Amino acid sequence: MRIAIVDGYTDEPAGLGVPPYLDVYARYVAGAADLAEVDAVHYFTVDQLRADWPAHLSQLSRYDLVVVIAGVTTPGKYLGGTPIALDELLDIGRVEGLVKVLGGPVAKFGYGIAGGSVAVPPYKFRRYYDYVVSGDVDLVVYRILKDGVEKAHPSERHEDFKLVDIFATRGAKIAQQHPNHGRNLIVEIETYRSCPRYVSGGCSFCTTVAYGPVATRPIEGVVREVEALYKAGVVHFRLGRQADFYTYMAHDVGRDDFPRPNPAAIEKLLVGIRSAAPGLKTLHIDNVNPGTVARWKTESIEITKLLVSYGTPGNVAAMGIETADPRVVKINNLKVGPEEALEAIEIFTRYGSVRGHNGMPYLLAGVNFIAGLPGETRETYRLNVEFLSKILERNLLVRRVNIRQLLIFPSSRLWPEARKLTARLREHKMWFRQFKKWVREVFDKEMLRRIVPRGTVLREVYTEVYYHGGTYARQVGSYPLLVYIPTRVELGRYIDVVVVDHGARSVLALPHPVNINTADKRVLRHLPGITGKKLKALIGGRPYKSLEEVKARVGEGEFLNYVSL
């Protein structure tokens, strides 16, 4: 029995699987196949298949079983890969001669398009796939392999984490087949499923509560998986597959919308991970409920301090604030009002803003907004701007602001209103664009100036793609800062850079230190304090034997702080 896993990438409120991120689905499926003692498991990303689509489709027919993982329920812009397109999903589904399984969010919620409702509901994929798995795809694959095709049921789910922990440990080695392995691969680690706010129905738009009541994963299972991944060469980890990291093993989960955090359990988890992967380079989190932080300040401060002690710098606590309009908050059963959200951001600023070895603060808040929620008016966007303006006025820090349009799936309470809301979103597009423009041109630029002032040295940024004669690079992390280097640097390597200017969502940085004798003119022209006249003199006097020669020819200036020979 030979199995192919095709990773079409996933992006959910709790879980990211677009490169360089590797989500849990493929790893769990690989572990299920390993436990079932199949002959071979091969992992492919959709980008690898795109290199020669017809030929690779033909090769898939040589396998006995193909498992496709896909689904984006929180659309974004991606630098490291492009999620599978609808036509590509159908192309794989048309391959004959093997059993085809479709898993991930697309099989649960359908194929969606940002700014609208679902383009293709899950049931329509049954024409192309033998199994469209609304349950847990790893468990369904295990049943197929152990009990036969006729005995597996696509809606079957894990009742607990016993099998998951086995699958996760045995499937860890599949990370070695990922194209980013050994480079900048970062893996998602699951700590619990669903959301504590399941008890009240959760936010109106969210798909996370569709996973049912909260099921918490034991610390020992997480630690064993991290150990297996570390042995497989993984050194970057993100505890991102949960609705709110601060409520891992919290008290009163299942009874309270905002259960009291459990710092002792979180410390045990973090210590266990550090012991299992002593040489890890990244340990970050993802989601945090601002309502938890605002309501349980003492416990949240303690957890923040733990993440500074055991985590790595550049960490971001992504908080779904969604809107600063109290009326919209109430209509949609959202997590927090604007004043409570400001209290949460203040806590992260106070206790997480210490700068780490890589040049970034240890742990700052991230803010998520959603456009198109029921009850939204023009006033909503004014209140959003007012909220962000207060962050600036109070000298608080926010690592990044994410603004996305509402995407509605059948599992959402908003599904009956999908058409009306989609039409309203089109009507409100002008307000949305104005708000987004203000955020990018005013808020983001000022925030970047505060977080990484000019002269900040960022360590180990990974060069990823070329763009307009320059290079985009990022540190490995939960929400890494985008760095633009105004020259072509060899891709796939880690370098240090120094920040010289700030854009809307990125910074302009130069290789650190800048070699005065070999650097391109387009690099030297960005040195702070370099005028056109000085630049011409500087280049005309190369090569230099000492900085004293540079000073003698060009004169003193701030640029001397950024250069070497």
Side-chain angles (χ1 to χ4, degrees):
M1 172 74 75
R2 299 174 73 246
I3 294 179
I5 301 173
V6 177
D7 193 345
Y9 311 145
T10 55
D11 191 355
E12 304 174 81
L16 177 58
V18 184
Y21 302 89
L22 174 59
D23 208 345
V24 300
Y25 293 104
R27 299 183 345 245
Y28 290 1
V29 169
D34 188 73
L35 185 61
E37 300 180 331
V38 301
D39 298 320
V41 180
H42 294 152
Y43 170 89
F44 306 95
T45 68
V46 65
D47 283 312
Q48 287 176 310
L49 298 188
R50 286 176 180 136
D52 191 345
W53 188 253
H56 286 135
L57 283 183
S58 178
Q59 289 175 7
L60 288 180
S61 64
R62 301 172 189 174
Y63 289 87
D64 301 292
L65 174 70
V66 62
V67 183
V68 180
I69 306 298
V72 172
T73 62
T74 51
K77 292 184 178 180
Y78 311 105
L79 189 65
T82 303
I84 195 167
L86 179 58
D87 287 348
E88 293 169 333
L89 271 175
L90 301 183
D91 280 349
I92 296 174
R94 293 186 184 102
V95 176
E96 298 180 350
L98 72 165
V99 177
K100 291 161 291 188
V101 178
L102 181 62
V106 74
K108 290 177 169 46
F109 310 116
Y111 189 92
I113 299 174
S117 56
V118 175
V120 178
Y123 70 87
K124 290 202 172 181
F125 288 107
R126 294 174 192 160
R127 286 184 55 193
Y128 304 90
Y129 290 84
D130 300 286
Y131 288 89
V132 177
V133 180
S134 60
D136 292 317
V137 63
D138 52 309
L139 183 58
V140 173
V141 168
Y142 183 67
R143 296 288 185 234
I144 291 172
L145 297 173
K146 291 293 288 184
D147 303 328
V149 174
E150 67 283 351
K151 294 186 179 180
H153 197 283
S155 63
E156 186 174 5
R157 295 187 179 187
H158 291 284
E159 295 180 358
D160 51 41
F161 278 94
K162 289 179 182 178
L163 264 181
V164 171
D165 287 342
I166 296 171
F167 292 167
T169 301
R170 298 184 75 134
K173 57 181 175 287
I174 203 70
Q176 295 174 325
Q177 296 186 39
H178 195 284
N180 293 76
H181 182 266
R183 300 164 60 211
N184 62 336
L185 180 67
I186 178 168
V187 299
E188 290 276 272
I189 302 294
E190 184 173 32
T191 60
Y192 69 78
R193 292 187 177 181
S194 194
C195 173
R197 300 192 69 239
Y198 172 83
V199 296
S200 70
C203 301
S204 64
F205 61 88
C206 190
T207 57
T208 302
V209 294
Y211 287 84
V214 170
T216 303
R217 189 177 182 190
I219 292 172
E220 296 75 17
V222 176
V223 171
R224 282 196 298 270
E225 181 187 12
V226 168
E227 183 178 29
L229 286 163
Y230 186 67
K231 288 179 180 178
V234 176
V235 292
H236 304 288
F237 300 91
R238 183 169 98 149
L239 303 170
R241 195 149 185 92
Q242 72 281 306
D244 176 9
F245 179 76
Y246 278 44
T247 54
Y248 174 66
M249 287 198 169
H251 307 284
D252 299 320
V253 171
R255 294 191 293 273
D256 193 337
D257 241 18
F258 299 93
R260 180 165 61 90
N262 186 346
I266 287 178
E267 181 171 23
K268 186 177 179 181
L269 172 69
L270 295 174
V271 169
I273 290 172
R274 277 293 193 174
S275 298
L280 66 78
K281 294 185 177 181
T282 304
L283 180 55
H284 284 181
I285 64 168
D286 185 13
N287 300 309
V288 173
N289 185 337
T292 300
V293 179
R295 286 168 174 79
W296 301 102
K297 292 184 178 65
T298 300
E299 293 84 353
S300 296
I301 289 170
E302 188 174 347
I303 293 170
T304 302
K305 290 179 177 179
L306 289 171
L307 287 167
V308 171
S309 296
Y310 295 107
T312 57
N315 204 351
V316 177
M319 300 195 303
I321 291 168
E322 325 305 1
T323 180
D325 187 337
R327 180 171 168 271
V328 179
V329 171
K330 184 175 181 180
I331 291 172
N332 292 276
N333 192 36
L334 302 182
K335 298 177 281 292
V336 66
E339 285 306 315
E340 288 179 313
L342 287 169
E343 290 175 9
I345 293 169
E346 184 178 3
I347 285 174
F348 286 112
T349 301
R350 184 180 302 173
Y351 297 98
S353 61
V354 58
R355 200 170 297 278
H357 63 85
N358 66 358
M360 292 295 294
Y362 263 88
L363 176 61
L364 295 179
V367 172
N368 299 338
F369 284 101
I370 293 182
L373 290 169
E376 176 185 285
T377 64
R378 184 172 189 171
E379 174 70 0
T380 301
Y381 291 96
R382 189 195 68 77
L383 290 170
N384 289 346
V385 170
E386 182 180 282
F387 171 79
L388 292 175
S389 297
K390 287 180 180 178
I391 292 175
L392 295 175
E393 292 164 6
R394 298 183 189 184
N395 290 316
L396 304 180
L397 298 178
V398 168
R399 165 55 200 92
R400 67 100 179 94
V401 177
N402 183 33
I403 307 169
R404 63 185 178 88
Q405 293 176 300
L406 181 67
L407 184 59
I408 308 169
F409 290 90
S411 61
S412 166
R413 298 204 316 267
L414 301 181
W415 181 246
E417 301 180 70
R419 292 193 177 205
K420 182 172 68 176
L421 289 169
T422 301
R424 185 182 299 167
L425 189 60
R426 287 195 292 268
E427 292 174 5
H428 295 182
K429 187 171 289 186
M430 182 180 68
W431 305 339
F432 169 75
R433 287 176 175 171
Q434 289 174 344
F435 171 59
K436 192 170 185 177
K437 182 179 180 182
W438 182 88
V439 172
R440 300 301 176 228
E441 295 182 358
V442 178
F443 184 87
D444 283 351
K445 281 189 177 181
E446 175 57 29
M447 197 54 63
L448 285 176
R449 291 187 187 105
R450 297 180 184 186
I451 294 172
V452 282
R454 191 168 74 181
T456 301
V457 176
L458 299 176
R459 307 286 181 186
E460 292 192 315
V461 300
Y462 186 81
T463 55
E464 295 192 51
V465 296
Y466 292 134
Y467 183 75
H468 287 321
T471 307
Y472 275 132
R474 297 181 294 181
Q475 294 171 326
V476 181
S478 193
Y479 291 93
L481 178 62
L482 185 61
V483 174
Y484 184 71
I485 306 166
T487 188
R488 291 204 165 198
V489 179
E490 180 186 351
L491 298 181
R493 56 177 292 213
Y494 288 96
I495 65 170
D496 296 342
V497 297
V498 59
V499 176
V500 295
D501 204 356
H502 305 84
R505 301 194 74 183
S506 62
V507 296
L508 179 69
L510 309 179
H512 175 75
V514 175
N515 189 307
I516 204 80
N517 286 323
T518 62
D520 293 343
K521 180 179 179 180
R522 53 191 167 186
V523 170
L524 295 175
R525 65 187 290 267
H526 289 288
L527 286 170
I530 279 286
T531 63
K533 184 177 179 180
K534 285 185 176 182
L535 178 60
K536 186 176 180 180
L538 181 67
I539 293 173
R542 295 198 292 189
Y544 299 97
K545 294 181 179 179
S546 69
L547 289 181
E548 292 303 317
E549 286 188 25
V550 177
K551 293 179 186 177
R553 182 172 179 85
V554 184
E556 298 280 355
E558 184 185 353
F559 73 93
L560 290 170
N561 298 325
Y562 298 80
V563 301
S564 70
L565 297 175

